[in-house]
Amino acid sequence: MPRKVYSIDHKLTSSHKINKAKMGCGYFTCSRNALMALNILYVMIAVLLIGVAAYAKAISFIDSLAIIGAVIGCGAFLLLLACMGIFGAAKHHQICLFFYMVILFLLFLIQFSLAVALLALNKDTQDTLIEKAWEAENITLSKDVNCCSLHAWKKGDKTCSSSLRCCEGQNANSLCCGGKADVPCPCESCKKKLSPLVEMACKITGGVSLFISITEVFGVYLSLRFRNQKDPQADPNAFL
């Protein structure tokens, strides 16, 4: 019975096919591409945060420098972290990937806690936040939301003025708008207007934070998996 002879070329071709199959999804190349794509998403989110904060300041939608600085700082930090992840994934840099993984995990803990806290805020806590914000920025809130007084308007309340949109036209004659007519104030109370806005903001911010925290867990898993994988094009005697 004739024996089958396998040439060296056949063995090399089979080995090449096996290695090529191992480089599919779940192995080195797929892990690198997934980690790069995730960090590109973080770059887009960071640029969006910085751009929105700068635009809000430019059109004077938000006057508080603390809020603008906090949003821009978060965007800059996320941008630097994403650049670290991209560099670590592109170069398969062990030290860079380790610190990226640790920082991303700590960021996940903070962001997940924040998301749960925002989604779990009850009505009483939201009212407390509104009252504290009103004590600090009552004039600004009154103009931005187009409202007058935190609760029902009383004489001597300086948060109402003729510059409010609700005081335009015939409403300008009312006492709360600076007029002389003793009629009910045409402007709604600020608490009535701010309550649904705060509730919606908590839900949206908490939901977005929860989604991003889930992607951060995925990023930690990818970076850990990719860090422990062997580069098929590297020297087989090199230390991982």
Side-chain angles (χ1 to χ4, degrees), residues 3-14:
R3 297 176 61 187
K4 293 183 180 180
V5 180
Y6 293 93
S7 63
I8 297 176
D9 293 338
H10 178 76
K11 291 181 179 180
L12 290 175
T13 303
S14 301

Side-chain angles (χ1 to χ4, degrees), residues 16 19-20 22-23 28-29 32 90-92 226 229-238 240:
H16 177 70
N19 291 333
K20 190 174 181 181
K22 287 185 177 181
M23 290 175 64
F28 187 85
T29 303
R32 168 182 281 172
K91 300 296 183 180
H92 199 220
F226 179 66
Q229 287 177 337
K230 186 75 174 179
D231 188 350
Q233 297 179 352
D235 185 1
N237 297 321
L240 265 177

